[in-house]
Amino acid sequence: MTRTVFTSGTPGFIGSGRPPFDARTIHELVAEQAERAPHAPAVTCDGQTLTYRQLNDRANRLAGRLRTAGLAPEDVVGVLVRRSPELIVALLAVLIAGGAYLGLEPDDPPGRHELLLKDADAGLVIAEEALRDRIPAGVVAVVEGPAPERPAAEPTAPAPALPESPDGPDSPDRLAYLSYTSGSTGEPKGVGVPHRAIDRLVRGADWMEIRSGDVFFHIAPVAFDASTLEIWAPLVNGCRLVLFPPVAITLEHVARVVRAERVTVLLLTTGFFHQMVSSHPEAFAGVRHVLTGGDVASPSHVQRLLARYPDLLFTNGYGPTENTTYTTCWTSSTLTALRSVPIGRPVSGTRVAVLDGDLEPVPAGECGELYAAGAGLARGYLGRPAATAERFLPDPFGTEPGARMYRTGDLVRWLPDGTLEFVGRADDQVKVQGYRAEPRTVEVELERLAQVRHAVVLPQADPAGGTRLLGYVVPTDPQLPGSADLGQRLRHELRGRLPGYLIPWAILVRPELPVNRNGKIDRQALPTATRVPRNVANEFVAPLTPVQLRLVELWGDLLGVEPVGVDDDFFDLGGHSLLATDLLVAVQREFGVDIPAQTLYLSPTVAELATALVARMETPDTTPGTTTREERSR
Ligand code: ADP
């Protein structure tokens, strides 16, 4: 058999491992923009704008406070600030001070914050005033708020000098941020990313042209590495960054901000991108370059978008957090393939190879595992040398001493045109609401609870086209009174420890789990459930009116829960933002009325939604933030 080996000097790998310029630190590059164009707008949020000089000055002042508070080089600093100019000031300040930021999600349970801060050995957190009480005991809070009218007691002079460090204060190899991913052992792992890796993503990229007048958009959680591209690509290149305000994310609101702020480069994670194309394609009217990534892109959605906006540039970006946001990209204005949207070629500063189990390149067209090398590689998992060594291997094709390659766990194949196609995962990892999830993480967390003897968690397709988790537990004591509602109580307990996307949609209590001939749990033999009993604590109240009756049916179908009571909260029953959009589309189809998503977030019960719906049917004029069917089709 002939073997096709893609070479570009290095057998097995294609791409280039080094950008064609010397790497720099991110804060230095932002400071240069502040020098070059001090009055240019840098960050806009909810009508408030910071210029480059204001951003840089405020970040320097806060960096001074961080150093005064004892920050040493490469110390990790938690950042607990909602989307606002203060958030960007905080991130930049950590970098200027020589630290590495760790984005904490305000909506995550305090137990999760505590776990991550402890794992990262972070002794400092920058928090906004309103979130100060979320900071765990023993951690020093540095509160960041809007700048005073006149520079007050704050030090305005340059921040105190950084203590000496072996790699120098402005080394691009210094750690810039920590991003946690779920691990197969149940413990979250902190991926440590150096400045060099961000620099390779956002400067001189060969897959994205950044123009001086471009306007970027930030919406992804800072805990999630899509935010790396969203935030630093504009600020390193002197463009304006628009932040979605710190409110619940709804499609119509995002569409409105994107249009009003004239966003030109828009990154949306895959699930959200699909929904935006389906229900608010007008959002893309002024956008020049749309990027998506994080999950498998649907060819029909991409085709629909490109047919409507032929001048638009579209990128399907692929990559694990361990290789800094993007590893490969497919960029085009046309998609002819119907089978899949390719994930493209390695981005600048990156080499990739498709290898078999013996680390030999596989022939083109055959499926193999994707390995990545180059300047985008993370340093590894903080404080976990064994886990790091397992995934970051010596690069047998590398020419530099100590070169490493990252084993992605993703199965791919080379297509005849030299681009890559994503095939699937080599392990159990799944994407839930856009987040990387290892079902084992949830099993471990369940088995830590005294009431649980065994736990199994499996992924299942959900009606929004995504994946949800379904749990099975064997109780420690099956005779325990109240074991009937054990599943519901366990979900409640998990909420105190895990982020929302890892809470199983349902937990089924079984007297035992089926085993196969080898004595292992037979996961295939577990009963699947598409409907589960109502799993909320409030009392059941039956629907009465025809509108309530129909809404209860729609909720039941989408959430897979029965019976649904009129006082039940959509989000308590397992609803999330993607399902909320589907519900409102179904309501529109059924009743001919558009309900803004904000209404569902503010009035999340069947009874409240029915009242809002009836009011809209009686007075069909538009309220702010509401789009009619006619407006949408324009
Ligand atoms: P992100 O979601 O920012 O891409 P994560 O580290 O959370 O980064 O998830 C990485 C994983 O997501 C990849 O290993 C792959 O399984 C999946 N993934 C990312 N982008 C794509 C894509 N464009 N197509 C298919 N799968 C993708």
Side-chain angles (χ1 to χ4, degrees):
M1 182 174 50
T2 50
R3 287 204 140 181
T4 312
V5 179
F6 291 87
T7 59
S8 63
T10 325
F13 271 93
I14 72 154
S16 70
R18 270 186 174 280
F21 44 73
D22 287 339
R24 307 276 305 280
T25 58
I26 298 308
H27 53 279
E28 259 187 315
L29 293 166
V30 178
E32 273 175 22
Q33 294 300 339
E35 279 281 295
R36 196 187 55 82
H39 305 297
V43 180
T44 306
C45 183
D46 236 355
Q48 200 193 342
T49 295
L50 289 184
T51 63
Y52 270 89
R53 175 178 285 166
Q54 287 167 330
L55 170 66
N56 201 46
D57 283 358
R58 281 182 59 179
N60 268 296
R61 282 202 294 270
L62 184 58
R65 289 174 56 198
L66 290 173
R67 287 183 198 155
T68 309
L71 183 95
E74 295 214 340
D75 274 356
V76 177
V77 180
V79 174
L80 187 56
V81 182
R82 276 182 282 241
R83 276 185 305 274
S84 57
E86 287 72 44
L87 169 65
I88 308 302
V89 169
L91 301 179
L92 188 58
V94 174
L95 300 184
I96 293 171
Y101 63 80
L102 162 63
L104 296 170
E105 270 309 286
D107 292 338
D108 277 355
R112 170 91 176 168
H113 292 159
E114 210 170 327
L115 177 81
L116 301 188
L117 289 168
K118 194 160 164 239
D119 189 79
D121 197 17
L124 282 172
V125 171
I126 304 176
E128 65 177 84
E129 186 62 54
L131 299 175
R132 189 199 264 271
D133 60 345
R134 308 269 186 92
I135 298 177
V139 177
V140 177
V142 177
V143 175
E144 164 59 356
E149 282 297 300
R150 283 161 3 106
E154 294 272 355
T156 48
L162 199 64
E164 274 309 305
S165 95
D167 59 7
D170 282 322
S171 163
D173 289 315
R174 180 166 280 178
L175 209 59
Y177 68 85
L178 207 56
S179 183
Y180 274 86
T181 67
S182 81
S184 52
T185 56
E187 302 298 335
K189 293 180 293 187
V191 180
V193 177
H195 286 255
R196 177 188 299 281
I198 311 176
D199 184 54
R200 93 85 166 78
L201 180 75
V202 298
R203 209 157 52 105
D206 62 359
W207 54 276
M208 171 165 76
E209 185 202 352
I210 299 181
R211 299 181 186 164
S212 59
D214 271 333
V215 180
F216 282 67
F217 188 61
H218 167 53
I219 190 168
V222 176
F224 183 51
D225 88 332
S227 66
T228 311
L229 179 65
E230 289 178 349
I231 295 171
W232 301 119
L235 297 182
V236 155
N237 291 289
C239 304
R240 185 163 73 98
L241 171 62
V242 171
L243 272 56
F244 185 71
V247 295
I249 294 171
T250 66
L251 287 167
E252 69 234 21
H253 197 169
V254 171
R256 231 178 321 130
V257 176
V258 165
R259 293 202 68 172
E261 295 286 355
R262 300 178 189 279
V263 170
T264 60
V265 182
L266 178 62
L267 166 58
L268 296 176
T269 48
T270 314
F272 203 71
F273 165 75
H274 291 156
Q275 287 197 325
M276 194 63 102
V277 171
S278 297
S279 56
H280 286 276
E282 78 284 354
F284 300 102
V287 181
R288 183 174 70 72
H289 192 166
V290 172
L291 304 105
T292 187
D295 213 336
V296 179
S298 131
S300 66
H301 286 84
V302 176
Q303 272 171 335
R304 226 183 303 165
L305 176 73
L306 295 177
R308 182 166 168 149
Y309 300 111
D311 295 333
L312 192 87
L313 205 56
F314 169 83
T315 289
N316 180 26
Y318 153 88
T321 305
E322 288 84 342
N323 196 36
T324 317
T325 312
Y326 284 163
T327 293
T328 66
C329 274
W330 182 81
T331 299
S332 181
S333 287
T334 47
L335 173 67
T336 44
L338 288 174
R339 191 172 72 165
S340 66
V341 186
I343 57 168
R345 298 186 167 83
V347 297
S348 31
T350 290
R351 294 177 296 127
V352 299
V354 184
L355 305 179
D356 64 16
D358 297 323
L359 300 185
E360 287 290 326
V362 301
E366 278 185 25
C367 182
E369 190 169 340
L370 186 69
Y371 288 74
L377 280 197
R379 223 188 249 181
Y381 304 112
L382 190 83
R384 293 180 203 284
T388 303
E390 203 181 298
R391 305 299 294 203
F392 292 83
L393 311 177
D395 174 2
F397 310 96
T399 48
E400 289 175 26
R404 299 173 309 149
M405 61 179 185
Y406 174 68
R407 178 177 190 180
T408 65
D410 287 313
L411 301 175
V412 299
R413 65 166 71 91
W414 288 111
L415 296 173
D417 67 355
T419 63
L420 286 164
E421 182 179 52
F422 181 83
V423 177
R425 284 292 302 174
D427 57 16
D428 294 334
Q429 185 179 298
V430 286
K431 279 293 174 90
V432 177
Q433 294 166 44
Y435 292 95
R436 191 160 133 180
E438 301 262 6
R440 184 72 199 132
T441 310
V442 190
E443 291 172 357
V444 169
E445 214 52 69
L446 277 168
E447 285 176 352
R448 281 197 181 129
L449 302 174
Q451 309 95 304
V452 177
R453 182 141 60 92
H454 285 312
V456 169
V457 174
L458 295 181
Q460 190 187 56
D462 79 10
T467 299
R468 65 188 176 197
L469 299 176
L470 178 58
Y472 302 83
V473 296
V474 177
T476 321
D477 178 2
Q479 311 303 333
L480 209 69
S483 66
D485 62 358
L486 181 61
Q488 171 197 322
R489 282 186 285 124
L490 293 175
R491 281 181 80 234
H492 187 73
E493 287 202 39
L494 287 183
R495 280 208 188 122
R497 309 177 60 93
L498 291 174
Y501 65 92
L502 286 179
I503 309 297
W505 158 70
I507 297 178
L508 307 181
V509 181
R510 318 288 307 167
E512 57 194 23
L513 299 175
V515 284
N516 61 22
R517 266 190 284 160
N518 302 329
K520 290 199 171 163
I521 291 167
D522 187 351
R523 290 165 182 254
Q524 319 274 307
L526 283 163
T528 55
T530 48
R531 290 255 171 184
V532 290
R534 177 176 173 274
N535 46 15
V536 284
N538 58 293
E539 216 153 281
F540 174 76
V541 180
L544 276 178
T545 67
V547 172
Q548 287 179 348
L549 279 162
R550 188 59 193 127
L551 281 181
V552 156
E553 279 172 18
L554 291 177
W555 284 36
D557 289 347
L558 265 178
L559 299 168
V561 172
E562 63 189 2
V564 172
V566 292
D567 290 338
D568 295 354
D569 182 310
F570 183 77
F571 300 97
D572 284 351
L573 288 176
H576 52 75
S577 59
L578 299 183
L579 285 171
T581 304
D582 282 5
L583 173 70
L584 297 176
V585 168
V587 164
Q588 211 290 331
R589 204 179 302 127
E590 187 86 16
F591 299 95
V593 169
D594 272 331
I595 296 286
Q598 204 65 19
T599 304
L600 178 63
Y601 281 91
L602 296 174
S603 318
T605 69
V606 169
E608 289 169 324
L609 189 64
T611 308
L613 194 50
V614 170
R616 289 281 299 146
M617 288 194 284
E618 284 166 1
T619 48
D621 59 329
T622 48
T623 49
T626 309
T627 50
T628 62
R629 208 185 326 199
E630 293 71 39
E631 278 172 28
R632 269 202 202 155
S633 57
R634 253 181 239 159

